Short mmCIF file of all heavy atoms in Angstrom, two decimals:
data_model
loop_
_atom_site.label_atom_id
_atom_site.label_comp_id
_atom_site.label_asym_id
_atom_site.label_seq_id
_atom_site.Cartn_x
_atom_site.Cartn_y
_atom_site.Cartn_z
N THR A 1 89.15 113.62 100.10
CA THR A 1 89.71 114.92 100.58
C THR A 1 90.10 115.81 99.40
O THR A 1 90.55 115.35 98.38
CB THR A 1 90.96 114.61 101.47
OG1 THR A 1 91.95 113.95 100.70
CG2 THR A 1 90.54 113.77 102.70
N VAL A 2 89.89 117.13 99.63
CA VAL A 2 90.26 118.16 98.65
C VAL A 2 91.04 119.23 99.37
O VAL A 2 90.64 119.68 100.44
CB VAL A 2 89.04 118.75 97.97
CG1 VAL A 2 89.41 119.79 96.91
CG2 VAL A 2 88.14 117.66 97.32
N ASN A 3 92.11 119.69 98.75
CA ASN A 3 92.91 120.75 99.35
C ASN A 3 92.17 122.08 99.30
O ASN A 3 91.21 122.25 98.60
CB ASN A 3 94.30 120.90 98.71
CG ASN A 3 94.12 121.22 97.19
OD1 ASN A 3 93.49 120.53 96.48
ND2 ASN A 3 94.70 122.37 96.81
N ASP A 4 92.59 123.07 100.08
CA ASP A 4 91.96 124.40 100.14
C ASP A 4 92.20 125.11 98.80
O ASP A 4 93.31 125.12 98.23
CB ASP A 4 92.56 125.25 101.25
CG ASP A 4 92.17 124.67 102.58
OD1 ASP A 4 91.09 124.09 102.74
OD2 ASP A 4 92.95 124.91 103.58
N THR A 5 91.11 125.70 98.28
CA THR A 5 91.15 126.41 96.98
C THR A 5 90.45 127.74 97.15
O THR A 5 89.79 128.04 98.08
CB THR A 5 90.43 125.65 95.88
OG1 THR A 5 89.12 125.29 96.33
CG2 THR A 5 91.20 124.36 95.54
N VAL A 6 90.75 128.66 96.17
CA VAL A 6 90.24 130.06 96.18
C VAL A 6 89.11 130.25 95.22
O VAL A 6 88.07 130.79 95.56
CB VAL A 6 91.38 131.04 95.94
CG1 VAL A 6 90.81 132.48 95.88
CG2 VAL A 6 92.43 130.96 97.06
N LEU A 7 89.31 129.74 93.95
CA LEU A 7 88.36 130.07 92.89
C LEU A 7 87.23 129.08 92.87
O LEU A 7 86.09 129.47 92.36
CB LEU A 7 89.12 129.98 91.59
CG LEU A 7 90.36 130.90 91.43
CD1 LEU A 7 91.10 130.64 90.13
CD2 LEU A 7 89.94 132.39 91.56
N ASN A 8 87.38 127.89 93.33
CA ASN A 8 86.33 126.86 93.28
C ASN A 8 86.17 126.24 94.70
O ASN A 8 87.08 125.92 95.34
CB ASN A 8 86.76 125.75 92.32
CG ASN A 8 86.89 126.19 90.89
OD1 ASN A 8 85.90 126.39 90.16
ND2 ASN A 8 88.14 126.46 90.47
N SER A 9 84.88 126.17 95.07
CA SER A 9 84.58 125.60 96.36
C SER A 9 84.84 124.06 96.40
O SER A 9 84.85 123.44 95.31
CB SER A 9 83.10 125.87 96.78
OG SER A 9 82.25 125.20 95.91
N LYS A 10 85.00 123.54 97.54
CA LYS A 10 85.22 122.05 97.64
C LYS A 10 83.97 121.33 97.15
O LYS A 10 84.07 120.30 96.54
CB LYS A 10 85.51 121.65 99.15
CG LYS A 10 86.91 122.13 99.56
CD LYS A 10 87.20 121.63 100.95
CE LYS A 10 88.61 122.08 101.38
NZ LYS A 10 88.98 121.57 102.76
N ASP A 11 82.79 121.84 97.42
CA ASP A 11 81.51 121.22 96.99
C ASP A 11 81.52 121.16 95.49
O ASP A 11 81.05 120.09 94.89
CB ASP A 11 80.31 121.96 97.51
CG ASP A 11 80.12 121.80 99.02
OD1 ASP A 11 80.67 120.82 99.58
OD2 ASP A 11 79.47 122.61 99.64
N LYS A 12 81.93 122.22 94.80
CA LYS A 12 81.93 122.27 93.36
C LYS A 12 82.89 121.26 92.78
O LYS A 12 82.60 120.56 91.78
CB LYS A 12 82.30 123.65 92.85
CG LYS A 12 82.17 123.77 91.31
CD LYS A 12 82.69 125.18 90.87
CE LYS A 12 81.69 126.27 91.25
NZ LYS A 12 82.13 127.58 90.67
N ILE A 13 84.09 121.17 93.40
CA ILE A 13 85.09 120.17 92.95
C ILE A 13 84.62 118.75 93.12
O ILE A 13 84.76 117.90 92.23
CB ILE A 13 86.42 120.44 93.71
CG1 ILE A 13 87.00 121.78 93.26
CG2 ILE A 13 87.39 119.27 93.38
CD1 ILE A 13 88.22 122.20 94.11
N LEU A 14 83.98 118.46 94.29
CA LEU A 14 83.50 117.15 94.60
C LEU A 14 82.36 116.73 93.63
O LEU A 14 82.28 115.58 93.22
CB LEU A 14 83.08 117.04 96.04
CG LEU A 14 84.16 117.05 97.09
CD1 LEU A 14 83.56 117.14 98.48
CD2 LEU A 14 85.02 115.79 96.98
N LYS A 15 81.55 117.72 93.30
CA LYS A 15 80.45 117.45 92.42
C LYS A 15 80.98 117.11 91.01
O LYS A 15 80.44 116.19 90.37
CB LYS A 15 79.54 118.71 92.36
CG LYS A 15 78.27 118.48 91.46
CD LYS A 15 77.40 119.70 91.48
CE LYS A 15 76.13 119.45 90.65
NZ LYS A 15 75.27 120.74 90.70
N LYS A 16 82.00 117.80 90.55
CA LYS A 16 82.60 117.55 89.28
C LYS A 16 83.35 116.22 89.34
O LYS A 16 83.43 115.49 88.31
CB LYS A 16 83.59 118.69 88.95
CG LYS A 16 83.85 118.82 87.43
CD LYS A 16 82.59 119.30 86.72
CE LYS A 16 82.88 119.55 85.26
NZ LYS A 16 81.62 119.93 84.53
N ALA A 17 83.95 115.84 90.45
CA ALA A 17 84.70 114.60 90.52
C ALA A 17 83.73 113.40 90.45
O ALA A 17 84.05 112.33 89.93
CB ALA A 17 85.42 114.56 91.90
N HIS A 18 82.53 113.59 90.99
CA HIS A 18 81.47 112.57 90.92
C HIS A 18 81.97 111.25 91.52
O HIS A 18 81.78 110.17 90.93
CB HIS A 18 81.03 112.39 89.48
CG HIS A 18 79.69 111.66 89.35
ND1 HIS A 18 78.51 112.12 90.00
CD2 HIS A 18 79.38 110.49 88.77
CE1 HIS A 18 77.62 111.22 89.76
NE2 HIS A 18 78.02 110.19 89.02
N VAL A 19 82.54 111.32 92.70
CA VAL A 19 82.95 110.11 93.47
C VAL A 19 82.01 110.01 94.63
O VAL A 19 81.93 110.96 95.43
CB VAL A 19 84.38 110.16 93.92
CG1 VAL A 19 84.80 108.93 94.74
CG2 VAL A 19 85.36 110.31 92.73
N THR A 20 81.30 108.89 94.78
CA THR A 20 80.34 108.73 95.86
C THR A 20 80.76 107.51 96.68
O THR A 20 81.62 106.70 96.35
CB THR A 20 78.95 108.52 95.28
OG1 THR A 20 78.89 107.25 94.62
CG2 THR A 20 78.55 109.62 94.34
N LYS A 21 80.05 107.39 97.83
CA LYS A 21 80.41 106.25 98.72
C LYS A 21 79.80 104.92 98.21
O LYS A 21 80.03 103.88 98.87
CB LYS A 21 79.78 106.59 100.12
CG LYS A 21 80.50 107.70 100.83
CD LYS A 21 80.03 107.86 102.27
CE LYS A 21 80.80 108.96 102.99
NZ LYS A 21 80.35 109.18 104.38
N SER A 22 79.16 104.96 97.10
CA SER A 22 78.65 103.71 96.50
C SER A 22 79.68 103.18 95.44
O SER A 22 79.50 102.10 94.85
CB SER A 22 77.32 103.96 95.82
OG SER A 22 77.42 104.89 94.76
N ASP A 23 80.79 103.99 95.29
CA ASP A 23 81.86 103.57 94.32
C ASP A 23 82.89 102.67 95.04
O ASP A 23 83.22 102.91 96.20
CB ASP A 23 82.57 104.75 93.72
CG ASP A 23 81.63 105.60 92.86
OD1 ASP A 23 80.83 104.95 92.09
OD2 ASP A 23 81.77 106.83 92.85
N ARG A 24 83.32 101.64 94.34
CA ARG A 24 84.43 100.82 94.83
C ARG A 24 85.73 101.54 94.55
O ARG A 24 85.94 102.07 93.46
CB ARG A 24 84.38 99.44 94.17
CG ARG A 24 83.10 98.63 94.39
CD ARG A 24 83.08 97.96 95.75
NE ARG A 24 82.00 97.04 95.86
CZ ARG A 24 81.74 96.31 96.93
NH1 ARG A 24 82.57 96.35 97.95
NH2 ARG A 24 80.69 95.50 97.00
N ILE A 25 86.65 101.49 95.51
CA ILE A 25 87.90 102.23 95.32
C ILE A 25 88.67 101.73 94.10
O ILE A 25 89.36 102.52 93.43
CB ILE A 25 88.73 102.03 96.60
CG1 ILE A 25 90.03 103.00 96.52
CG2 ILE A 25 89.21 100.62 96.80
CD1 ILE A 25 89.71 104.47 96.68
N TYR A 26 88.59 100.46 93.79
CA TYR A 26 89.36 99.88 92.66
C TYR A 26 88.68 100.19 91.33
O TYR A 26 89.28 99.95 90.25
CB TYR A 26 89.53 98.37 92.81
CG TYR A 26 88.28 97.56 93.04
CD1 TYR A 26 87.48 97.22 91.96
CD2 TYR A 26 87.91 97.20 94.30
CE1 TYR A 26 86.30 96.47 92.14
CE2 TYR A 26 86.69 96.51 94.55
CZ TYR A 26 85.91 96.15 93.45
OH TYR A 26 84.74 95.42 93.63
N SER A 27 87.43 100.62 91.33
CA SER A 27 86.76 100.82 90.06
C SER A 27 86.83 102.30 89.55
O SER A 27 86.48 102.54 88.43
CB SER A 27 85.22 100.47 90.28
OG SER A 27 84.59 101.40 91.13
N ILE A 28 87.26 103.21 90.41
CA ILE A 28 87.36 104.58 89.99
C ILE A 28 88.62 104.84 89.14
O ILE A 28 89.64 104.21 89.36
CB ILE A 28 87.28 105.59 91.18
CG1 ILE A 28 88.55 105.44 92.07
CG2 ILE A 28 85.99 105.41 91.98
CD1 ILE A 28 88.56 106.42 93.24
N ASP A 29 88.55 105.80 88.25
CA ASP A 29 89.65 106.11 87.33
C ASP A 29 90.20 107.48 87.68
O ASP A 29 89.57 108.49 87.43
CB ASP A 29 89.17 106.05 85.88
CG ASP A 29 90.29 106.34 84.89
OD1 ASP A 29 91.39 106.68 85.32
OD2 ASP A 29 90.09 106.17 83.71
N PRO A 30 91.37 107.56 88.32
CA PRO A 30 91.90 108.87 88.74
C PRO A 30 92.13 109.80 87.58
O PRO A 30 91.87 111.01 87.72
CB PRO A 30 93.33 108.47 89.34
CG PRO A 30 93.14 107.04 89.80
CD PRO A 30 92.26 106.42 88.80
N GLY A 31 92.54 109.26 86.42
CA GLY A 31 92.72 110.15 85.22
C GLY A 31 91.40 110.76 84.78
O GLY A 31 91.38 111.93 84.39
N GLU A 32 90.34 109.98 84.81
CA GLU A 32 89.06 110.53 84.37
C GLU A 32 88.53 111.57 85.30
O GLU A 32 88.01 112.57 84.93
CB GLU A 32 88.03 109.35 84.27
CG GLU A 32 86.68 109.77 83.76
CD GLU A 32 85.69 108.64 83.70
OE1 GLU A 32 86.14 107.49 83.91
OE2 GLU A 32 84.55 108.89 83.47
N ILE A 33 88.70 111.35 86.66
CA ILE A 33 88.32 112.27 87.64
C ILE A 33 89.07 113.64 87.46
O ILE A 33 88.48 114.72 87.50
CB ILE A 33 88.54 111.77 89.05
CG1 ILE A 33 87.61 110.52 89.31
CG2 ILE A 33 88.24 112.82 90.13
CD1 ILE A 33 87.99 109.77 90.57
N ALA A 34 90.38 113.55 87.28
CA ALA A 34 91.18 114.72 87.06
C ALA A 34 90.72 115.52 85.79
O ALA A 34 90.64 116.72 85.85
CB ALA A 34 92.66 114.32 86.93
N SER A 35 90.44 114.81 84.72
CA SER A 35 90.00 115.48 83.49
C SER A 35 88.68 116.18 83.70
O SER A 35 88.44 117.30 83.16
CB SER A 35 89.82 114.41 82.40
OG SER A 35 91.05 113.80 82.06
N ASN A 36 87.78 115.61 84.48
CA ASN A 36 86.45 116.20 84.74
C ASN A 36 86.64 117.49 85.56
O ASN A 36 86.06 118.55 85.28
CB ASN A 36 85.55 115.30 85.56
CG ASN A 36 85.13 114.13 84.74
OD1 ASN A 36 85.11 114.18 83.49
ND2 ASN A 36 84.72 113.01 85.41
N ILE A 37 87.50 117.55 86.56
CA ILE A 37 87.76 118.70 87.36
C ILE A 37 88.43 119.78 86.63
O ILE A 37 88.22 121.00 86.87
CB ILE A 37 88.55 118.32 88.66
CG1 ILE A 37 87.77 117.29 89.48
CG2 ILE A 37 88.92 119.51 89.50
CD1 ILE A 37 88.55 116.73 90.66
#
């Protein structure tokens, strides 16, 4: 889930986050995702 934004679309944010349904929840790094966005 992504909150409502003005400058960047949700699709753009999700693409930059690069989290897919093939990822295990325990294997993703929240800090790395935040840095990418």
Side-chain angles (χ1 to χ4, degrees):
T1 59
V2 181
N3 62 301
D4 292 331
T5 52
V6 175
L7 304 173
N8 297 279
S9 67
K10 290 184 179 181
D11 288 341
K12 185 185 290 187
I13 293 170
L14 289 172
K15 185 177 180 180
K16 203 70 177 176
H18 195 59
V19 178
T20 67
K21 291 186 177 181
S22 62
D23 292 324
R24 300 278 187 180
I25 190 71
Y26 54 81
S27 67
I28 64 175
D29 183 352
E32 183 180 352
I33 295 171
S35 297
N36 291 338
I37 297 173

